[in-house]
Amino acid sequence: MPALKVGLQKLVDQLRALQKCFMSMEEPVNMNNSEDADSDLSTHRNRSRSSFDEGSLYISCTRPHSLVDPGKPYSSHSPVIKTGWLDKTPPKGTLIFQKRWVTLDAEFLRYYQNEKEVFSKRFIAVSTIADVLSVGEQKFEVVTKNRTFLFRAENSAVRGEWVAVLKETIQQLCSNGKTRSPSLSDAGGDSRGEKQGYLEMNGSRSKLFIVVSADRVFLYLNSEDRSQGIGITSIDMNMGSVKSTDPRAFSLNTCYKPFSFVAETTQQRDEWVEAMQACIGRSLSSDTVVWSVWVEESNRRCADCGAEDPDWASVNLCVVICKCCAGVHRSLGQSVSKVRSLRMDEKVWTDSLVQVFVQLGNDRSNLFWASNVPPSETIRPSSNNEERQNFIKTKYCQRKYRQYHRLFGCQEDLNKALCKSVQTGDLLETMSLVFCGADVNCSTGDPDVPNPLCIAQNYGRKLLEEFLFHNLNTEFPGVQDVERVIPQVAVPIPHAGILFKIGSTTRAVTERKGKGDFSQRWCTLDKGVFKYFDGEKRAHPCGEIKMSDVQCLVVNPLGKHGYLHTFELYQISGRIHLFGADTPDSVQQWIETIAKAIVPPEAEGMASWSFERVGRLRYTEGPNPHCPRACWVAAGGSTLLVLLHGTDRPESIDLRKLQELCVQPEPGPVVLVDRGRTLRLEGDRRADFPGWANSLQQGAGRGDGPLDQQQLTGTDVPVIVDRCLGFITQYGLKSEGIYRKAGVQSKVTALLSSLCLDARRVQLTEGEHKVDDVANTVKRFLRSVREGVFDGEQASLPWLRTVALSETSRRISQYQTLLASLPPVHQATLGAVINHLYCVQCFAEENKMDAHSLSIVFGPTLFQADGTDKSAGQVVEDLVQHYQAIFDVDAEHVKRQIEMISHIITAKEDRPDEETRTICGIYLEVKEEGSELLVQVSQKTTATDVVSEVLRRRNISSQPEDYWSCFLVNDKDDMDGWVNVTRNGHVQFCEEKGQRAKGSFSKRYCVVTATSLEIYKTPKSNHPEKDCHLQALKVYCGIRKKLQPPSSWGMTVVWTQDQHEMHRWYLCCESDQELTDWLATFFFLQHHGDLWPGTS
Ligand SMILES: [Zn+2]
């Protein structure tokens, strides 16, 4: 058998060689390989239907050498996932397996005669594959609805790989919910530019079913095959051309091979030609430039890191670069490097610019730019961002590795040489001169051709003209300047890596998610768009998240879910994404990179801080309510960073020291009073808001935490301690046996627990609270607070040992040393307690508690001990007696304090509760400068109060039939909160294309953001069905009756995509109010909040 196989292979090779001879004669025919019995088209219909591979067609055409790129697909569509040799079942009647080169991408499984062939013999749409089964030894079946294909691998390991990768690809396609495959007749409704039908193709003996779709032409044996997703091959139309050859025939010339087709009638021929031309147009738009620039071999590797197939370029520095390097180039600023895409920025790519790149090429450009790069400084595609940045800055800003021109340093000579080289048209020399200091704008002294650019024009040096044009304003900043000019945040460094993700939801993830709930995703973040893929090589993401659409990033506590590190992204549209991984470094990098991408430059400090959550909120400030503005907020521990509107850096708020924190029930705001200022953070019913409220509450201190996580006063003393000591100072200093007498246990317990819940809320009043209860409450707190005032048992030992020192001065200095080593909150708390005890013993005559009596009580309390160790009491007694020395307090200060306390105790005065009052400017009927009345309002003032006050002061008598209204007007400057106006919800949706409506109304989820209208099938859908720019829409109230809208509250949205395509969408709501809200949202956003009727 092996011998036979070898013999056959030889024959095949000979035949193939023969075909190549034909090919070289440019004969546009297909070659039916005699080896391939199944390729006999004329007979295939009559042959057994059960044949595994009836009717494949062999269009022989091998790739030109320059385009052979092993392991890479020739097609630009989907990256190839797997390739390799497999044996395919023989056609019926023969027993010999046929060796085929098989490729798999996200859309198709194809097999070819060999690895150099351009056109497949057969393709099977992945979307039609129902299953993949291992059979027998080394074999596997690819099962579609109607047919089964049998393949045999070299060994069972290879078989296993194919089966696994095929299954995964099918799975992925399913999970994407997309049937992009044009091979399915009913795939999606989007058949833009599609044409299909039978055509005779020169070389095949029967008509073929041809489909022109998007930027490809597909060949099928017949329309049934098409509907089954099984075809012969597809022709990429890039660089193709179509020509009519006779009344019914036309030819399609591709860069590989010409095809001839014959239509039934001239009219049909014209339609086909038109469809194919449009198809070429579509493919050209993306690929022409890239392929023309890649004609120069060295342009297929990044000039900086060597990455393959770079599709970006710096048009002034004349280098072709990869996406990662382009990100760094862009960060240097336009004046250093003008970065353009070879695929997207078509306009800049004139023929002459393309020629500049072809003539120079990365190799020659690097002769200049990288003539002496130390091996230690070179970068690779895998280099990290820092290395990449350093290298690129050194290369193009410092220009450290360049080939110095011999005239370097002599400006005049350089300029003269430039004028000369422009005449001769020497590109590399010109480049070398310009980047070594020659002045592109230098004067030639000739008024007819005043500068080098004119010389180039005069001499018809188009390429030089192009080069000079792009370098008219190039700066040479040096590396320091770049650091200064370019803020770090402007560096959009692409980031990529593996994360695990659970499907997005619309409500906060509260339950624990196990590892099994997560799927591995390859994630990228580039140019403000986060994408996640099923695998690194996938062309199509499973989903993407615009960073501008992220309103909150939450870092979960370790181990909250199955993965140790997890974080969540909340989108404005309401979707929530949960990501995780076990590697702290990579997760941390992702968090920082994402944070940088969502916050504005001024808030960049937040991104690199170890926050627990960062995001955008709306706020109002001060006692005057105003239109909410956007702010950026980051919370972590007890710190809150806030970037308020109009400020250039975040300010830091110590949440423990808030005077007040009030979390109102949803959708109420969270109110913070910090250093006398009131800040209201709005909830807006957002899914991330309860998390904010919780995080603020946690950060604001809690009674069950250690000393330094308590609510604190401005001087770092726990509010619980401060409140109680203050109360005793006011009401208890003359109470006999204060701190020694017991309180009422139940009252002490109740008071302590309410203080622990929120100490700021608790007002201690003389009538309600007894001094002994309060005294025992603070004692119990100090005795039980975690770690205690002396910061734990271990740290308290040196204090206790100090009493053994007999010399007072040595003890004092030892206490001072120990005090200095306490953490700030402990230090402040101990200071406050001892200061208080000092004051208490000053009134010992009345309260009978001298320093010794107090220390017997407070020794065990502060040391959290049982009282058997007497040294605890001795320490406290020392501290009280030598209070001024140990705590370094001014004697005068203590004296004044005691005097003040005496004054407070004696002067019993009522202080009425003060009400916040604000002055408002009120205009009557017209707003004229200086005509406003100033009215004092408080929280209790009603609109009626305001109106009657104004009328009274204007001497207007109000008649019973008069209706006066009172409006709160926001200045236009205050309207910058508008960007946050968004709306989402369910609507009944119906679409009309051209003149006819498609289908009836159905429920859709509609999202309006500041920039776009998106329609989703459900709130959980990852991809919008419709996504269009808000400003391209016209919104009308009402729907034509003919369409039978499901409710009478509808609106018509007209989207003009381009001049020819107009879409009409109908959205129906459930109530008048809803309709008004939707319309208001649209108009508000379209007009940037300026809805006041204009005068013009
Ligand atoms: Zn690169």
Side-chain angles (χ1 to χ4, degrees):
M1 218 28 195
L4 177 63
K5 211 170 168 184
V6 170
L8 201 73
Q9 191 61 42
K10 248 186 195 158
L11 185 68
V12 171
D13 289 342
Q14 281 168 0
L15 280 166
R16 214 167 275 155
L18 205 65
Q19 284 160 10
K20 285 202 182 114
C21 292
F22 282 111
M23 276 303 298
S24 60
M25 295 172 357
E26 286 249 312
E27 204 180 341
V29 290
N30 81 304
M31 309 298 290
N32 288 339
N33 192 324
S34 58
E35 174 221 21
D36 224 33
D38 58 357
S39 60
D40 188 341
L41 292 167
S42 57
T43 57
H44 107 274
R45 297 300 304 155
N46 304 325
R47 292 174 53 191
S48 162
R49 274 166 195 280
S50 63
S51 164
F52 283 124
D53 191 20
E54 52 180 54
S56 69
L57 175 67
Y58 181 30
I59 304 164
S60 171
C61 173
T62 52
R63 275 178 245 180
H65 176 71
S66 66
L67 294 176
V68 174
D69 196 350
K72 287 224 170 237
Y74 114 90
S75 155
S76 61
H77 289 274
S78 297
V80 165
I81 298 163
K82 188 166 174 59
T83 58
W85 288 101
L86 287 173
D87 293 331
K88 187 187 65 66
T89 8
K92 194 151 191 194
T94 59
L95 292 168
I96 305 156
F97 272 85
Q98 297 163 327
K99 219 169 161 55
R100 291 285 177 265
W101 179 251
V102 184
T103 70
L104 172 71
D105 60 33
E107 293 173 84
F108 298 109
L109 177 70
R110 307 173 209 248
Y111 58 84
Y112 298 83
Q113 189 77 9
N114 61 58
E115 80 273 31
K116 285 186 179 146
E117 293 294 336
V118 171
F119 299 105
S120 61
K121 288 173 71 67
R122 169 68 90 208
F123 67 74
I124 305 152
V126 173
S127 58
T128 65
I129 302 178
D131 208 348
V132 183
L133 305 165
S134 299
V135 282
E137 270 179 41
Q138 305 167 25
K139 283 181 247 167
F140 65 91
E141 283 180 353
V142 172
V143 183
T144 74
K145 200 173 157 195
N146 305 73
R147 288 184 231 180
T148 300
F149 298 82
L150 184 68
F151 293 92
R152 185 174 69 185
E154 210 175 334
N155 55 49
S156 41
V158 173
R159 190 263 310 266
E161 281 169 31
W162 274 101
V163 172
V165 82
L166 272 163
K167 283 191 163 169
E168 196 197 321
T169 310
I170 299 163
Q171 175 75 41
Q172 191 197 350
L173 196 74
C174 293
S175 66
N176 278 1
K178 270 188 168 178
T179 44
R180 191 182 171 272
S181 163
S183 51
L184 282 177
S185 56
D186 52 352
D190 185 18
S191 47
R192 215 152 45 89
E194 190 165 284
K195 179 162 176 63
Q196 58 185 53
Y198 283 94
L199 278 178
E200 268 178 57
M201 189 174 96
N202 195 347
S204 74
R205 275 168 248 171
S206 66
K207 285 187 175 180
L208 294 182
F209 191 76
I210 311 290
V211 176
V212 181
S213 177
D215 51 359
R216 281 180 287 188
V217 171
F218 293 83
L219 273 49
Y220 297 87
L221 277 175
N222 50 56
S223 64
E224 288 122 300
D225 274 13
R226 204 254 154 148
S227 63
Q228 290 167 14
I230 297 165
I232 301 160
T233 197
S234 63
I235 304 166
D236 274 25
M237 297 290 271
N238 48 357
M239 295 193 184
S241 68
V242 193
K243 251 208 306 246
S244 302
T245 46
D246 77 37
R248 282 170 49 227
F250 65 97
S251 71
L252 164 64
N253 291 299
T254 68
C255 54
Y256 296 108
K257 184 182 175 66
F259 295 85
S260 299
F261 297 100
V262 182
E264 298 248 343
T265 64
T266 305
Q267 192 199 339
Q268 279 184 15
R269 181 207 62 185
D270 290 343
E271 287 171 8
W272 280 102
V273 168
E274 195 187 331
M276 287 196 186
Q277 268 165 351
C279 180
I280 290 166
R282 284 191 291 271
S283 70
L284 276 182
S285 62
S286 58
D287 275 0
T288 328
V289 172
V290 94
W291 282 102
S292 353
V293 170
W294 283 355
V295 163
E296 160 56 39
E297 196 63 28
S298 68
N299 288 342
R300 295 202 66 169
R301 285 178 310 279
C302 172
D304 294 337
C305 73
E308 281 182 40
D309 295 350
D311 49 8
W312 291 81
S314 167
V315 294
N316 61 325
L317 304 176
C318 300
V319 283
V320 182
I321 49 180
C322 71
K323 204 158 95 173
C324 294
C325 293
V328 180
H329 273 256
R330 207 179 301 122
S331 75
L332 303 177
Q334 285 279 338
S335 61
V336 177
S337 182
K338 294 192 174 94
V339 181
R340 298 289 184 271
S341 164
L342 295 178
R343 294 190 194 273
M344 292 172 286
D345 296 317
E346 290 154 48
K347 278 190 189 147
V348 77
W349 293 101
T350 59
D351 287 348
S352 22
L353 185 62
V354 169
Q355 276 313 305
V356 168
F357 274 80
V358 172
Q359 277 206 13
L360 274 175
N362 279 347
D363 277 355
R364 278 162 64 79
S365 272
N366 271 338
L367 280 181
F368 170 74
W369 283 118
S371 81
N372 55 69
V373 184
S376 61
E377 290 177 31
T378 52
I379 55 167
R380 291 174 303 281
S382 59
S383 292
N384 66 33
N385 286 330
E386 198 188 337
E387 292 166 343
R388 204 180 291 270
Q389 276 191 38
N390 286 341
F391 177 80
I392 291 171
K393 276 185 190 169
T394 314
K395 186 174 176 184
Y396 302 103
C397 295
Q398 287 186 317
R399 301 180 184 174
K400 182 178 151 189
Y401 313 127
R402 70 186 152 178
Q403 170 93 63
Y404 281 91
H405 196 274
R406 64 198 154 76
L407 297 174
F408 182 78
C410 319
Q411 189 66 53
E412 216 169 300
D413 293 346
L414 281 170
N415 292 355
K416 273 185 198 157
L418 175 63
C419 297
K420 210 166 177 184
S421 77
V422 169
Q423 290 174 29
T424 58
D426 189 335
L427 254 175
L428 193 63
E429 167 78 359
T430 309
M431 179 167 153
S432 161
L433 284 162
V434 167
F435 294 121
C436 280
D439 181 3
V440 177
N441 303 298
C442 69
S443 163
T444 56
D446 181 346
D448 292 336
V449 278
N451 56 45
L453 186 60
C454 293
I455 298 177
Q457 284 163 347
N458 206 32
Y459 279 79
R461 301 290 182 198
K462 281 234 181 299
L463 308 195
L464 269 300
E465 199 184 318
E466 194 80 37
F467 171 78
L468 292 173
F469 171 75
H470 288 294
N471 278 293
L472 285 177
N473 305 308
T474 299
E475 282 172 16
F476 178 16
V479 84
Q480 259 74 35
D481 289 348
V482 169
E483 305 282 8
R484 183 174 50 74
V485 173
I486 313 300
Q488 277 295 307
V489 344
V491 188
I493 301 157
H495 197 72
I498 288 172
L499 282 172
F500 298 85
K501 182 181 186 306
I502 66 159
S504 63
T505 61
T506 48
R507 55 174 194 88
V509 185
T510 46
E511 71 282 11
R512 182 185 161 87
K513 295 284 182 187
K515 276 195 180 177
D517 297 319
F518 288 80
S519 323
Q520 179 170 321
R521 292 285 180 260
W522 174 254
C523 303
T524 64
L525 172 57
D526 188 19
K527 293 187 214 76
V529 183
F530 180 96
K531 294 181 183 170
Y532 46 99
F533 301 78
D534 269 353
E536 185 176 349
K537 292 188 173 147
R538 300 291 189 256
H540 306 291
C542 313
E544 55 182 58
I545 305 165
K546 286 180 207 152
M547 288 294 107
S548 56
D549 190 30
V550 174
Q551 62 187 2
C552 186
L553 161 62
V554 178
V555 182
N556 288 319
L558 291 187
K560 182 177 177 186
H561 299 290
Y563 282 97
L564 189 58
H565 304 271
T566 52
F567 65 92
E568 295 166 19
L569 290 179
Y570 288 75
Q571 285 185 270
I572 295 174
S573 52
R575 249 178 297 285
I576 300 163
H577 307 264
L578 173 64
F579 297 90
D582 277 335
T583 46
D585 289 353
S586 76
V587 174
Q588 194 46 47
Q589 260 188 16
W590 271 112
I591 290 168
E592 194 174 330
T593 311
I594 292 172
K596 276 190 182 155
I598 62 176
V599 302
E602 304 90 279
E604 208 233 344
M606 289 180 180
S608 35
W609 179 54
S610 57
F611 54 83
E612 283 150 22
R613 51 176 57 226
V614 62
R616 178 163 38 186
L617 289 172
R618 299 202 301 155
Y619 78 101
T620 60
E621 197 184 3
N624 271 321
H626 58 76
C627 182
R629 291 166 171 161
C631 64
W632 286 89
V633 187
S638 54
T639 306
L640 185 71
L641 295 183
V642 193
L643 179 79
L644 294 180
H645 171 80
T647 57
D648 61 356
R649 76 183 64 162
E651 58 179 299
S652 171
I653 296 175
D654 188 337
L655 293 170
R656 297 171 304 177
K657 298 187 182 178
L658 293 177
Q659 276 110 53
E660 203 181 316
L661 174 72
C662 175
V663 178
Q664 290 171 7
E666 279 237 77
V670 170
V671 183
L672 295 83
V673 182
D674 172 48
R675 287 163 285 184
R677 179 183 60 175
T678 309
L679 203 62
R680 275 176 234 93
L681 299 171
E682 307 249 333
D684 295 334
R685 295 187 188 277
R686 280 163 41 172
D688 61 316
F689 198 73
W692 279 107
N694 185 48
S695 166
L696 293 174
Q697 271 174 322
Q698 292 291 314
R702 41 187 209 279
D704 59 350
L707 204 63
D708 60 0
Q709 284 178 27
Q710 300 289 325
Q711 295 182 351
L712 298 179
T713 65
T715 52
D716 283 347
V717 178
V719 174
I720 296 181
V721 175
D722 186 66
R723 285 276 153 93
C724 296
L725 300 186
F727 182 81
I728 301 295
T729 303
Q730 224 175 354
Y731 305 106
L733 288 191
K734 292 185 175 178
S735 166
E736 197 180 320
I738 183 75
Y739 288 118
R740 200 190 54 219
K741 284 212 238 154
V744 179
Q745 279 303 315
S746 58
K747 295 224 165 152
V748 172
T749 307
L751 179 58
L752 185 59
S753 73
S754 65
L755 282 166
C756 282
L757 203 64
D758 188 355
R760 289 185 196 98
R761 290 296 189 79
V762 179
Q763 295 296 329
L764 298 173
T765 55
E766 197 185 8
E768 214 177 306
H769 301 97
K770 298 282 171 281
V771 285
D772 291 331
D773 294 343
V774 176
N776 279 286
T777 303
V778 71
K779 268 163 56 187
R780 200 187 282 183
F781 171 77
L782 291 168
R783 179 179 263 285
S784 60
V785 65
R786 265 200 273 157
E787 305 299 318
V789 174
F790 291 102
D791 197 23
E793 201 183 334
Q794 203 58 37
S796 66
L797 292 176
W799 290 86
L800 297 169
R801 283 198 294 264
T802 306
V803 292
L805 300 171
S806 52
E807 249 176 87
T808 311
S809 62
R810 280 188 63 199
R811 287 210 303 281
I812 291 176
S813 92
Q814 179 66 15
Y815 288 133
Q816 284 172 332
T817 312
L818 292 170
L819 182 67
S821 67
L822 280 180
V825 174
H826 296 72
Q827 224 178 85
T829 310
L830 184 62
V833 172
I834 302 300
N835 171 268
H836 176 71
L837 297 182
Y838 179 82
C839 296
V840 175
Q841 55 93 42
C842 285
F843 295 84
E845 254 178 55
E846 279 107 331
N847 63 35
K848 311 288 183 226
M849 294 295 286
D850 58 12
H852 182 71
S853 319
L854 286 169
S855 62
I856 291 170
V857 175
F858 274 90
T861 300
L862 294 179
F863 282 96
Q864 305 190 333
D866 56 9
T868 48
D869 184 357
K870 295 284 176 274
S871 40
Q874 286 167 32
V875 172
V876 175
E877 196 172 345
D878 270 348
L879 294 178
V880 174
Q881 268 181 352
H882 307 288
Y883 168 66
Q884 293 177 26
I886 295 169
F887 290 85
D888 192 21
V889 188
D890 185 23
E892 193 60 30
H893 176 82
V894 179
K895 200 178 138 207
R896 262 186 283 126
Q897 192 188 6
I898 301 296
E899 278 170 13
M900 209 150 81
I901 291 168
S902 313
H903 176 75
I904 290 170
I905 293 170
T906 46
K908 297 263 181 191
E909 52 182 357
D910 295 325
R911 275 173 303 161
D913 287 339
E914 283 159 34
E915 200 186 347
T916 327
R917 292 197 154 261
T918 320
I919 309 289
C920 283
I922 313 275
Y923 295 93
L924 189 66
E925 291 185 321
V926 284
K927 183 181 174 181
E928 273 170 21
E929 202 67 46
S931 72
E932 80 263 35
L933 275 177
L934 297 177
V935 176
Q936 205 179 40
V937 296
S938 75
Q939 277 121 329
K940 290 176 190 158
T941 312
T942 64
T944 319
D945 297 340
V946 174
V947 171
S948 37
E949 169 77 2
V950 169
L951 296 182
R952 187 184 61 76
R953 283 165 61 181
R954 286 279 161 163
N955 270 329
I956 300 169
S957 57
S958 180
Q959 305 301 319
E961 65 270 24
D962 283 352
Y963 288 96
W964 291 94
S965 305
C966 187
F967 297 98
L968 183 66
V969 179
N970 289 298
D971 283 347
K972 187 136 187 296
D973 293 346
D974 281 356
M975 296 297 282
D976 26 42
W978 70 271
V979 286
N980 284 296
V981 174
T982 58
R983 203 183 145 76
N984 38 24
H986 282 104
V987 293
Q988 292 288 330
F989 179 83
C990 172
E991 183 184 10
E992 182 179 315
K993 233 179 178 182
Q995 284 307 310
R996 57 208 159 80
K998 276 175 71 179
S1000 54
F1001 283 83
S1002 53
K1003 195 172 173 185
R1004 286 290 182 271
Y1005 190 70
C1006 177
V1007 175
V1008 180
T1009 71
T1011 52
S1012 61
L1013 165 68
E1014 289 155 28
I1015 306 274
Y1016 294 85
K1017 200 156 192 169
T1018 72
K1020 287 190 171 182
S1021 313
N1022 281 326
H1023 299 276
E1025 291 178 335
K1026 314 282 171 202
D1027 180 0
C1028 56
H1029 200 268
L1030 206 64
Q1031 299 298 347
L1033 300 178
K1034 283 209 169 76
V1035 183
Y1036 303 93
C1037 185
I1039 295 179
R1040 287 210 311 270
K1041 264 206 179 135
K1042 203 175 79 183
L1043 290 157
Q1044 299 175 329
S1047 81
S1048 45
W1049 302 289
M1051 54 192 155
T1052 302
V1053 177
V1054 180
W1055 177 37
T1056 315
Q1057 191 176 15
D1058 51 54
Q1059 288 180 337
H1060 310 290
E1061 271 204 86
M1062 194 157 88
H1063 302 263
R1064 273 207 191 86
W1065 299 333
Y1066 303 98
L1067 281 68
C1068 246
C1069 322
E1070 303 212 317
S1071 70
D1072 190 15
Q1073 183 59 47
E1074 247 185 56
L1075 177 63
T1076 312
D1077 286 351
W1078 278 111
L1079 289 171
T1081 308
F1082 274 115
F1083 296 143
F1084 195 75
L1085 292 172
Q1086 284 189 331
H1087 298 279
H1088 304 287
D1090 183 11
L1091 294 178
W1092 198 254
T1095 43
S1096 55

